[in-house]
Amino acid sequence: MSALPTPVRAPESAPPAADVHRTLERCRALVAPALRDAVAGTHPWVGEMAAYSFGWCEVGGAPSRSSGGKGVRQALAVLGAEASGAPGGAAVRGAVAVELVHAFSLLHDDIMDGDEARRRRPTVWKAYGTGPAVLAGDALFALAVETLADAGAPAMRLLSRALRDLVHGQADDLLYASRPWTGPERVRLREYRTMAEHKTGALLGCAVALGAALGGAPPATVAALDRAGRHLGVAFQAVDDVLGIWGDPAVTGKPVHGDLRERKKTFPVLAALDSPTAGRHGRPAAVVRRPVRDRGPDRPGGRPHGDPGGGPAPGGGRPRGPGRRTPGARPRRRTALPARFRDPPRAVSVTPLVKPVADTIRCELAESGTGDSD
């Protein structure tokens, strides 16, 4: 990565966690009024779902005590402006736009992945139904574009490029599920990094670059910050993948097991399979390839994971989200996972699917690192 032009300076060491939290809080406070105003401008029902996704209210509109998200992307936008010598307020429009895009992507991502919980409560599709959640995501996307409509062509180009790359990365992530685990057509770690840069890094890079651009930074600074954010996104996605296997939902607010159940090509699994020591730890590739017949709805609410059905709830209630199987339809092939999946030492003793993969990952991280085998 090329050196950043002045006045941007790289810190000599990482700041203490308390400083990071204070910075995030300061940036959220700066952006919050404009973000709430943007959401208030949409349809009241759609606005309620958007507010629910941000943690501002409960289903029905009652105020919520949920903490919501950390606001990393909006903070990056504010910090991008400040790093370029402008006040943080110059970046507020950009911060609102990237936060709206992020929320939109989460709503749709939860539907595609069938995730039922986020930030310690039901996801939007689980709380309101699949169709309404898709509509709310579309509304957030439209609001993001509207927010930047009068910010000038350079700002819109940054956002449109990030949106294009985000869709590209999400498409690759979904398509990788059909790629083999071994052989010449397997997903390589370099492909994972490209996917992660698009899926996660594009919006992080856009956030900090937008802040710099709106703060009047020269193009070289804007481009350098965009690249830095994209690199950050690769690391961010890799950590998220690790938490998806071994994270504590009570701490992260996110469910575990879903990626393993769907056999997604996540960083820990790819690193394990590409490891030269993989064959010594239980043949993980053979295990993750092995399909397991659906043994019944063992997920909360009795929903077979990954079934994309829909339809009204019993008794005429709110529409169900993904997962309502048509009566008489053939059961989908899926992987049964344990009711609990805590830290790796406990996890490796409770399921034939997770044990070989987790053993390999743990041993590989301890023995030889996670470099690309190519």
Side-chain angles (χ1 to χ4, degrees):
M1 187 182 300
S2 59
L4 301 180
T6 55
V8 178
R9 292 286 186 272
E12 295 182 1
S13 60
D19 290 347
V20 173
H21 290 308
R22 282 194 292 269
T23 298
L24 291 174
E25 289 173 1
R26 175 177 66 83
C27 294
R28 284 197 302 267
L30 179 64
V31 175
L35 181 60
R36 286 180 177 269
D37 285 346
V39 172
T42 190
H43 186 283
W45 183 47
V46 175
E48 179 192 315
M49 289 185 282
Y52 176 88
S53 73
F54 284 118
W56 302 341
C57 74
E58 303 294 345
V59 175
S64 172
R65 294 185 178 182
S66 174
S67 60
K70 296 178 289 296
V72 170
R73 290 153 191 82
Q74 57 184 291
L76 285 174
V78 172
L79 295 174
E82 294 177 347
S84 303
V92 166
R93 278 184 299 178
V96 170
V98 296
E99 198 65 18
L100 290 169
V101 168
H102 178 54
F104 137 74
S105 70
L106 292 183
L107 263 64
H108 286 192
D109 195 53
D110 286 339
I111 294 169
M112 285 184 278
D113 291 346
D115 287 339
E116 298 181 347
R118 181 176 291 278
R119 296 167 188 160
R120 303 175 186 86
R121 61 182 189 161
T123 49
V124 175
W125 75 260
K126 188 67 176 175
Y128 290 88
T130 308
V134 171
L135 179 64
D138 293 345
L140 291 169
F141 175 88
L143 285 174
V145 175
E146 181 182 356
T147 299
L148 278 187
D150 60 351
M156 285 301 300
R157 278 196 294 269
L158 285 169
L159 184 65
S160 62
R161 180 191 177 205
L163 288 167
R164 179 198 64 197
D165 286 350
L166 190 156
V167 171
H168 191 136
Q170 184 65 35
D172 280 341
D173 191 32
L174 293 173
L175 287 172
Y176 287 172
S178 62
R179 297 264 295 272
W181 289 101
T182 58
E185 297 301 316
R186 74 185 188 275
V187 178
R188 310 299 181 103
L189 284 172
R190 66 170 182 271
E191 293 178 286
Y192 170 93
R193 287 193 288 267
T194 300
M195 178 276 295
E197 178 189 333
H198 288 151
K199 178 181 175 180
T200 305
L203 195 56
L204 292 173
C206 175
V208 66
L210 259 180
L214 294 173
T221 299
V222 173
L225 290 173
D226 185 21
R227 289 196 302 274
R230 285 169 177 262
H231 288 308
L232 175 63
V234 176
F236 196 101
Q237 184 63 54
V239 170
D240 193 61
D241 287 353
V242 171
L243 293 176
I245 297 176
W246 293 304
D248 182 354
V251 176
T252 66
K254 300 178 182 180
V256 292
H257 323 146
D259 290 342
L260 283 176
R261 182 182 289 109
E262 290 294 302
R263 289 174 167 75
K264 292 185 72 172
K265 307 302 192 294
T266 58
F267 179 77
V269 176
L270 292 178
L273 295 178
D274 258 7
S275 163
T277 62
R280 303 207 309 261
H281 302 296
R283 296 168 42 245
V287 177
V288 294
R289 286 199 307 264
R290 184 169 63 237
V292 178
R293 283 287 184 184
D294 190 348
R295 295 189 177 93
D298 61 344
R299 287 173 59 80
R303 185 179 67 83
H305 182 87
D307 190 333
R318 227 174 4 244
R320 294 278 190 178
R324 295 299 298 174
R325 195 165 59 211
T326 304
R330 294 177 61 187
R332 291 178 178 257
R333 296 167 75 86
R334 62 184 293 276
T335 300
L337 286 177
R340 291 193 179 93
F341 194 101
R342 298 188 181 92
D343 53 86
R346 290 191 184 118
V348 296
S349 64
V350 293
T351 169
L353 168 69
V354 175
K355 177 176 171 26
V357 177
D359 278 349
T360 302
I361 295 167
R362 289 168 55 235
C363 292
E364 182 59 22
L365 289 174
E367 293 176 9
S368 60
T370 56
D372 197 328
S373 62
D374 288 347

